[in-house]
Amino acid sequence: MLEKIKHKLSVKTWWFLYTAFFLMWLKTYLVQRFAFDLPIQSLFQEMILLITPIASVILIVGFALLISRKRKVWTIIIFSLLSSILLFSDLVYYRFFNDFITLPVLFQTSNMGDLQSSIWGLIKPTDILIFLDTILLVFIVWWKKVSSISIRRSQLVSAFAVAICFLLVNWSLAEMSRPQLLARTFDRQIVVKNIGAYNYHLYDLVLNTRMTSKKVFADNEDLMEATKYIETQENTNEIPSDLYGIAEGKNVILISMESLQSFVINETLYDQEITPFLNDLIGESYYFDNFYHQTGQGKTSDSEFIVDNALYPLPSGAVFFTHAQNTYYGTPNVLKDEGYYSAVFHANEGAFWNRDVMYDALGYDFFYDKEYYEVNEENSVGWGLKDEPFFQQTLDKLEDLPEPFYTRLITLTNHYPFEMEEEDLMIPFFDSGDATVDQYFSTVRYMDEALKQFFEDIKQTDLYEDTIFILYGDHYGISANHNEAMSLFLDKDITPYEHVQLQRVPLIIHIPGMEGKTISQIGGQIDLRSTVFNLLGVDNKEALTFGSDLFLPNKENKMVILRDRSFITEDVVYTAGNCYDRGTGEMILSDTCELLVEQAEQQLDYSDEIIYGDLMRFIEEDADKVEDELGEEDAE
Ligand code: GP9
Ligand code: MN
């Protein structure tokens, strides 16, 4: 097709167009490859990065030709300048935040404040090279006396078709490299690495337009409707449990245990306990053995969202990414009024899962990300800093925090693909032949040991007695793709019913000085917020939340709803259109579940609407209005 275009255009014109295309492509590739610090790990990724700018540059040149009638040459030059400005801005922002700019952040001036003050320190003299293509094009126009371009519509259409082909190729390669890349959006660096900077901005624009339109049509009435629905739900008018206020004024340490599922608790592999420390800790804690994760595509970030907001994550995408600009009454925000300081500790990139932005929205005072840890080759494995040094380094920081504090420590070593170094191996690999399952037990065993160390160390400090510890599994570690190996380990078939049961994750609430017990009633991550508030004796009536205190007896209609729309009640398990007896796992008549299915869907839909419509912003507006009215009355 390009041949055809080439043929029918004058030599000077096509030479100019090809040069413009080539220079813009080269500039973009070089900036993406060498100016940013994108983690390129293979030849395949090198190749993807090489082709990412092709489609967008054809589109940029094509668009310049399309919109301009007489001054096509200069429009192309202006577009090349604009693309340089975009790359340059991305680069400056990246050097400061180690992240890529998003549309909402662009308008969030508070985020830019720090950047403005240090902007000159972020610019390097070599950055001028980003503008070299524009300078060269101006020179070519002058030298070759290129004055006009005449191009037919059909030729432009052909060029756009070529661009779309490249876009599709790029997209398929990106999907091969990172399945569900755009659906899940876990890390903007990974998105840029796979689709390029320009496409990333386009994608960000589409994502935000979609979200904004949903938000625009929401109003106060939606808030009232959601409030009314929540009032009919189980977590209102609760009588406080015996433990209400038992931990008043105490520090809270939540430990998010990466990929930990309940099936390893109190279980052995080759006669060795897989989680010896947790098994002991359970003996002196409240342990919930029918507690489910409720995460979706946002994995760890979804679990954080649920725990801090008592709302469900979204059916697709990570809410940490898609709705970080919403108004939230996150736990840290609520506890601030009670004099709490809040922080998250996690030795990964701050921008991963958009945490750097979302934690602000949730009201965290500080995020100790990778930058605050000493991470080197010796103390890292797989995804980064090993859990043992992570806990050691975190404890030093915890000791310096203002008290009382509300904190979350996020572990990392037990992350897929469960890599482990020989020296840390404390339990042999399983031998199913499925590497994921076989290695899982060894990283779980390592995490267990790291937790043991942490508890031993913190007991040596003054913090221990003044703190409650809440340990929970963030989501499954072994997906349904490994059912065969799992059925070997568990010695039973993994039916859809068993699959739901495998979504149980451990929840251990350790309150120093209290004996604890095992509680077997059903619960989910969405119940954690009410549970924490009740332990601390804090009431929060403002926010729209779901879930109920796990220390209270469940109401009869209690349901634990998973994000894939499966649910669990005390009597039944419902998944993939089928209803099962919870006790026996036998399939039963779907009539039994029919009404419940509707109820579960309704609850998820209300939660989604709260997020899509950003409904809690209206609570704020209402409160402001009341305050204004009171102010006016006072003035009178
Ligand atoms: C990344 C870590 C793991 O920072 O939390 O994320 P995951 O892939 O489990 O969601
Ligand atoms: Mn995780």
Side-chain angles (χ1 to χ4, degrees), residues 603-628:
Q603 185 151 145
L604 288 173
D605 291 346
Y606 268 111
S607 177
D608 294 347
E609 286 314 314
I610 292 169
I611 300 167
Y612 291 146
D614 187 11
L615 297 187
M616 285 194 275
R617 75 195 140 128
F618 299 120
I619 302 179
E620 234 179 19
E621 283 170 17
D622 277 357
D624 288 349
K625 244 187 253 164
V626 173
E627 248 170 52
D628 285 351

Side-chain angles (χ1 to χ4, degrees), residues 16 46 73 103 145 230 241 269 305 450 492-493 503 532 547 568 593 599:
F16 176 77
E46 289 280 3
V73 172
L103 274 179
K145 305 211 168 15
I230 285 175
S241 79
L269 176 68
F305 181 81
K492 57 182 165 193
D493 281 348
Q503 305 314 306
V532 172
I568 301 100
C593 284
Q599 287 171 11

Side-chain angles (χ1 to χ4, degrees), residues 442-585:
S442 59
T443 43
V444 168
R445 178 67 187 84
Y446 171 83
M447 176 165 64
D448 182 81
E449 197 65 21
L451 283 161
K452 178 180 168 188
Q453 275 295 328
F454 176 64
F455 270 82
E456 278 176 12
D457 292 347
I458 200 166
K459 279 184 181 168
Q460 307 297 320
T461 71
D462 293 338
L463 286 177
Y464 179 70
E465 296 292 335
D466 292 329
T467 303
I468 60 167
F469 299 84
I470 300 171
L471 290 74
Y472 64 93
D474 61 352
H475 49 77
Y476 67 81
I478 308 290
S479 74
N481 295 334
H482 306 280
N483 277 354
E484 217 171 286
M486 281 299 285
S487 69
L488 269 179
F489 178 76
L490 296 170
D491 201 18
K492 57 182 165 193
D493 281 348
I494 312 297
T495 60
Y497 162 83
E498 286 299 342
H499 175 74
V500 172
Q501 294 303 70
L502 279 173
Q503 305 314 306
R504 281 177 293 187
V505 293
L507 169 64
I508 303 166
I509 301 186
H510 182 73
I511 308 176
M514 296 198 69
E515 271 184 17
K517 62 175 175 195
T518 293
I519 298 176
S520 290
Q521 67 175 1
I522 56 167
Q525 288 167 333
I526 208 149
D527 300 315
L528 264 177
R529 178 168 146 134
S530 308
T531 310
V532 172
F533 279 168
N534 283 353
L535 286 172
L536 299 183
V538 171
D539 295 313
N540 175 242
K541 298 265 177 275
E542 261 176 332
L544 296 174
T545 59
F546 296 87
S548 54
D549 183 357
L550 291 163
F551 288 112
L552 280 173
N554 276 343
K555 289 199 175 160
E556 226 179 283
N557 57 356
K558 171 82 180 181
M559 272 181 160
V560 178
I561 307 166
L562 310 189
R563 192 55 261 198
D564 68 356
R565 302 198 163 218
S566 303
F567 61 80
I568 301 100
T569 70
E570 289 296 343
D571 302 321
V572 300
V573 166
Y574 173 84
T575 187
N578 291 316
C579 196
Y580 299 85
D581 181 293
R582 181 162 166 261
T584 64

Side-chain angles (χ1 to χ4, degrees), residues 258 299-300 346 348 352-353 355 383 412 415 474-475:
E258 179 58 46
K299 305 294 285 291
T300 312
H346 183 44
N348 195 5
F352 199 93
W353 283 133
R355 286 182 171 112
W383 276 56
L412 199 55
H415 194 288
D474 61 352
H475 49 77

Side-chain angles (χ1 to χ4, degrees), residues 132 173 182 273 376 409 502 531 540 584 589 622:
L132 200 62
L173 292 178
L182 298 185
E273 277 183 286
N376 50 50
L409 280 50
L502 279 173
T531 310
N540 175 242
T584 64
L589 277 183
D622 277 357

Side-chain angles (χ1 to χ4, degrees), residues 313-536:
L314 292 178
S316 68
V319 56
F320 258 43
F321 260 105
T322 57
H323 292 82
Q325 314 306 319
N326 277 13
T327 298
Y328 294 107
Y329 288 76
T331 303
N333 252 332
V334 177
L335 290 183
K336 202 165 281 175
D337 294 342
E338 310 292 323
Y340 272 75
Y341 184 84
S342 56
V344 177
F345 298 84
H346 183 44
N348 195 5
E349 305 293 343
F352 199 93
W353 283 133
N354 203 24
R355 286 182 171 112
D356 50 353
V357 178
M358 188 57 162
Y359 287 163
D360 279 345
L362 296 177
Y364 279 99
D365 290 308
F366 209 83
F367 176 21
Y368 292 87
D369 68 7
K370 194 178 172 186
E371 301 275 302
Y372 294 86
Y373 286 85
E374 214 184 294
V375 186
N376 50 50
E377 244 176 60
E378 281 88 70
N379 67 11
S380 303
V381 71
W383 276 56
L385 186 63
K386 293 183 195 174
D387 291 345
E388 270 188 34
F390 165 69
F391 280 124
Q392 277 158 10
Q393 294 182 35
T394 303
L395 186 53
D396 292 343
K397 302 178 207 311
L398 279 172
E399 285 190 275
D400 292 337
L401 286 193
E403 293 183 58
F405 56 70
Y406 171 83
T407 54
R408 179 163 53 249
L409 280 50
I410 306 175
T411 66
L412 199 55
T413 309
N414 188 42
H415 194 288
Y416 176 85
F418 313 115
E419 283 173 53
M420 184 88 308
E421 280 170 345
E422 196 79 34
E423 64 196 53
D424 296 317
L425 213 58
M426 278 167 272
I427 198 165
F429 290 145
F430 184 46
D431 61 352
S432 70
D434 178 331
T436 302
V437 177
D438 293 354
Q439 286 166 214
Y440 180 67
F441 301 99
S442 59
T443 43
V444 168
R445 178 67 187 84
Y446 171 83
M447 176 165 64
D448 182 81
E449 197 65 21
L451 283 161
K452 178 180 168 188
Q453 275 295 328
F454 176 64
F455 270 82
E456 278 176 12
D457 292 347
I458 200 166
K459 279 184 181 168
Q460 307 297 320
T461 71
D462 293 338
L463 286 177
Y464 179 70
E465 296 292 335
D466 292 329
T467 303
I468 60 167
F469 299 84
I470 300 171
L471 290 74
Y472 64 93
D474 61 352
H475 49 77
Y476 67 81
I478 308 290
S479 74
N481 295 334
H482 306 280
N483 277 354
E484 217 171 286
M486 281 299 285
S487 69
L488 269 179
F489 178 76
L490 296 170
D491 201 18
K492 57 182 165 193
D493 281 348
I494 312 297
T495 60
Y497 162 83
E498 286 299 342
H499 175 74
V500 172
Q501 294 303 70
L502 279 173
Q503 305 314 306
R504 281 177 293 187
V505 293
L507 169 64
I508 303 166
I509 301 186
H510 182 73
I511 308 176
M514 296 198 69
E515 271 184 17
K517 62 175 175 195
T518 293
I519 298 176
S520 290
Q521 67 175 1
I522 56 167
Q525 288 167 333
I526 208 149
D527 300 315
L528 264 177
R529 178 168 146 134
S530 308
T531 310
V532 172
F533 279 168
N534 283 353
L535 286 172
L536 299 183

